[in-house]
Amino acid sequence: MKPSERLDRIPPYIFAEIDKKIDEAKAKGYDIISLGIGDPDTPTFPHIVKSMHESIDDASTHNYPPYQGTKDFRKACADWMKNRYNADLNSESEVLALIGSKEGIAHVFLAFVDPGDITLVPDPAYPVYRNATVLAGGTPYFMPIGPENNYLPDLDKIPEEIAQKAKIIFLNYPNNPTGAVATLEYFKKVLEFAKKYNILICHDQAYCEMTYDGYVAPSFFELEGAKEHCLEFFSHSKTYNMTGWRIGWVAGGEKLMKSLSVIKNNIDSGAFKAIQNAGIVALKTPKSEIDKLNDIYKRRRDVMVQGLRELGWQIETPKATFYMWLPVPQGMTSVEFVEIMLEKAHLVVPPGTGYGDKGEGFFRIALTVEEDKLNEALQRMKKAGITYNMIKEAV
Ligand code: MLT
């Protein structure tokens, strides 16, 4: 059976490929340390697991959930938004439950993009923004982000004819894969741009609570008049260590929500009610618990920043996310470097090119292993002669 042509336009999914590499390396007997996928290594908070145990015993959670999410779940999301951003969202019409934010992010393109439409996608970026555009028949216009623009798309560099045709601008701050952050001032500019060209802002907020050193990540909903132009996608995955549970939500204006609902109602039947109940409990997690988790990542970040500086990398300390985005040594490609990391140090890191062409020359580290493993990773690099100033042939 010949698969659809649209599949030819989608590259292999980076983390599925990395899983294959890990399996191959393990089969060779390598003792792998994976700094690959951003999957928290500590368990879901116990109060959330406990609530799931209770909910699953309640037979009323076993049948189909409401398509838009349970009333209680949506209310908890709206309350969270009020508490966190002082944003007023109607839980009945301006919040939808998602089966993980990735589900909503992929489906929003089917709701707003027609064949031939353009979407504005950062490069590098989480691959779903690009690939879901292509699956919807659209064409991504890549907005380069790098050290030269503080990893924030330069809206003034988007050609007029592209802006005129664009339907969606996708952003994600705090940012995967670069760890960069944005200010509310920047969001204001994006909102003005979106209003001028009638473009939907989609903002992936997966890392909004994973911040350090007093930095607090803003929301578009802190801005007057954002709702009609913006959807923000929130995820329980990274904040509460719930990647496997598949639960998140999207917030935004009623009309936008209705369009996304049409797609979702025809494709999925909502998230398991017991998981939504546990999701409500998650949203009520005391800030002190989130702070404790962030302290763990912060300590790991500091170990890695110091260790990598000693190996020659001149890096700034990221203020958010559990990612570090680093240049590969001179004279080699991203893929060559990650192969050296795997073969010589048995370390798994994704190549920057997994996030777009502009990722060439970079690799990403996820701080998802304990400090002693990070120290061991640094030792392995040192022992294998992997430094920023290394010469490819020397290792
Ligand atoms: C990543 O490592 O980029 C993310 O964990 C992938 C995801 O959230 O789907």
Side-chain angles (χ1 to χ4, degrees):
M1 175 71 73
K2 189 182 172 310
S4 72
E5 280 168 16
R6 76 176 66 81
L7 291 199
D8 298 337
R9 300 193 287 268
I10 303 291
Y13 195 66
I14 177 174
F15 291 107
E17 291 305 294
I18 287 179
D19 279 353
K20 273 195 232 155
K21 286 234 177 257
I22 293 176
D23 288 344
E24 281 163 21
K26 283 187 178 158
K28 283 193 216 166
Y30 292 2
D31 172 20
I32 290 293
I33 299 177
S34 178
L35 309 172
I37 190 162
D39 194 0
D41 56 311
T42 50
T44 305
F45 289 102
H47 62 284
I48 303 170
V49 177
K50 183 169 172 281
S51 120
M52 181 67 181
H53 280 296
E54 285 159 13
S55 262
I56 207 161
D57 279 337
D58 172 0
S60 75
T61 66
H62 297 179
N63 58 353
Y64 285 124
Y67 283 96
Q68 64 277 29
T70 67
K71 264 182 187 298
D72 290 347
F73 180 76
R74 286 178 292 137
K75 166 98 177 35
C77 297
D79 289 349
W80 187 92
M81 297 291 288
K82 179 73 187 166
N83 201 20
R84 173 69 171 82
Y85 300 116
N86 198 25
D88 289 305
L89 288 146
N90 181 333
S91 67
E92 292 289 314
S93 55
E94 296 176 335
V95 176
L96 265 187
L98 299 174
I99 310 171
S101 62
K102 184 180 188 178
E103 176 265 299
I105 289 169
H107 283 148
V108 76
F109 292 92
L110 291 179
F112 292 97
V113 174
D114 283 315
D117 281 347
I118 282 178
T119 64
L120 304 175
V121 174
D123 180 6
Y126 183 45
V128 181
Y129 317 146
R130 174 210 176 272
N131 295 345
T133 297
V134 172
L135 287 175
T139 305
Y141 174 85
F142 294 111
M143 305 177 290
I145 58 171
E148 67 288 353
N149 53 16
N150 291 322
Y151 295 95
L152 299 168
D154 187 345
L155 303 175
D156 297 333
K157 292 213 168 126
I158 298 169
E160 180 68 24
E161 67 276 18
I162 297 289
Q164 296 280 3
K165 281 207 218 156
K167 296 291 291 289
I168 287 180
I169 179 167
F170 226 106
L171 296 176
N172 159 227
Y173 294 98
N175 185 258
N176 175 19
T178 66
V181 295
T183 59
L184 194 58
E185 215 35 53
Y186 179 74
F187 286 176
K188 209 184 251 176
K189 280 194 201 141
V190 175
L191 182 59
E192 276 160 24
F193 173 84
K195 282 183 176 170
K196 178 169 174 200
Y197 293 103
N198 197 22
I199 296 172
L200 169 63
I201 302 165
C202 288
H203 186 222
D204 179 353
Q205 281 278 34
Y207 302 92
C208 60
E209 299 308 272
M210 203 184 270
T211 58
Y212 318 111
D213 307 326
Y215 173 73
V216 180
S219 158
F220 275 92
F221 298 125
E222 289 171 84
L223 298 172
E224 195 64 35
K227 260 199 269 182
E228 285 62 44
H229 296 272
C230 180
L231 291 172
E232 282 198 336
F233 296 83
F234 291 87
S235 168
H236 283 56
S237 290
K238 321 278 161 143
T239 310
Y240 310 110
N241 296 338
M242 290 176 77
T243 47
W245 298 56
R246 309 317 305 144
I247 185 78
W249 84 93
V250 54
E254 178 171 359
K255 269 194 173 163
L256 303 173
M257 223 43 103
K258 275 196 175 143
S259 305
L260 180 55
S261 297
V262 173
I263 299 297
K264 279 182 56 59
N265 294 351
N266 282 286
I267 291 185
D268 68 67
S269 299
F272 182 23
K273 278 189 273 184
I275 295 183
Q276 294 191 52
N277 287 346
I280 296 171
V281 171
L283 288 168
K284 295 182 176 152
T285 302
K287 185 170 176 305
S288 55
E289 291 298 311
I290 310 287
D291 288 347
K292 271 190 231 161
L293 182 58
N294 284 342
D295 279 346
I296 294 176
Y297 294 132
K298 183 171 156 347
R299 282 200 298 274
R300 292 176 182 179
R301 176 202 69 176
D302 293 345
V303 164
M304 228 36 200
V305 165
Q306 193 192 325
L308 287 165
R309 281 186 184 150
E310 283 165 15
L311 293 175
W313 270 272
Q314 288 177 356
I315 41 173
E316 284 182 32
T317 306
K319 285 199 186 79
T321 78
F322 51 14
Y323 301 123
M324 295 175 72
W325 183 249
L326 300 153
V328 302
Q330 298 261 318
M332 66 182 85
T333 65
S334 296
V335 167
E336 283 169 343
F337 179 72
V338 306
E339 272 166 13
I340 290 172
M341 289 281 269
L342 183 62
E343 290 305 322
K344 305 289 175 194
H346 301 174
L347 301 176
V348 173
V349 288
T353 42
Y355 301 89
D357 292 347
K358 203 50 186 31
E360 182 54 90
F362 292 87
F363 68 105
R364 193 190 77 174
I365 282 178
L367 301 167
T368 48
V369 298
E370 288 175 2
E371 272 174 67
D372 60 345
K373 284 269 175 214
L374 291 176
N375 277 315
E376 187 182 331
L378 290 162
Q379 282 310 317
R380 286 188 194 183
M381 287 172 76
K382 192 172 174 189
K383 206 162 151 213
I386 302 174
T387 65
Y388 181 61
N389 297 311
M390 69 189 274
I391 317 266
K392 188 165 70 179
E393 289 71 26
V395 287

